[in-house]
Amino acid sequence: MDVYKTKAGKLNGTDFYEVRTAAMLVFKKVRSKSKRQPYIRSVYFKKNKVFLNLFWQHLFDKDNWRDRMRRLQYFEAALELIERTHIEPQSKKNPNKANELFHRFSGVTKEGCKFYVQIKENCTSKKKFLMSIFPGL
């Protein structure tokens, strides 16, 4: 399976609050470009928008602070991957909802750490949402 090599590395920090402030600085740049919902345009999806709000809801549904920090460290690299990758993801239908597709992209940071980005696509409206970012094994 092909992976996208990012120029961005993991966000530094020893606890969740340090990593969150670094991620919020990156998110603030993206959010300032739009007056409504924050989004980035993806090359793979033919410059269609990928909305970012669902990621924050999904992140704070996690109970474990360590897991939140582990996922948030890859935020900057994940945004770069979504924007610039041409590599085809693994796609599968959501078993719980028939009109949803999940796309899983894989990438490697500057340091060589593997991670995955999952995007949810609504098949009827063709809207795409960043669902989750998580490190690889």
Side-chain angles (χ1 to χ4, degrees), residues 120-133:
K120 177 174 82 168
E121 178 181 0
N122 189 329
C123 294
T124 55
S125 66
K126 300 294 182 193
K127 283 189 174 183
K128 292 148 192 81
F129 302 94
L130 173 62
M131 274 286 292
S132 183
I133 303 167

Side-chain angles (χ1 to χ4, degrees), residues 9-24:
K10 288 170 58 174
L11 297 175
N12 293 328
T14 56
D15 67 344
F16 175 72
Y17 295 105
E18 290 177 8
V19 175
R20 187 186 67 170
T21 43
M24 289 308 268

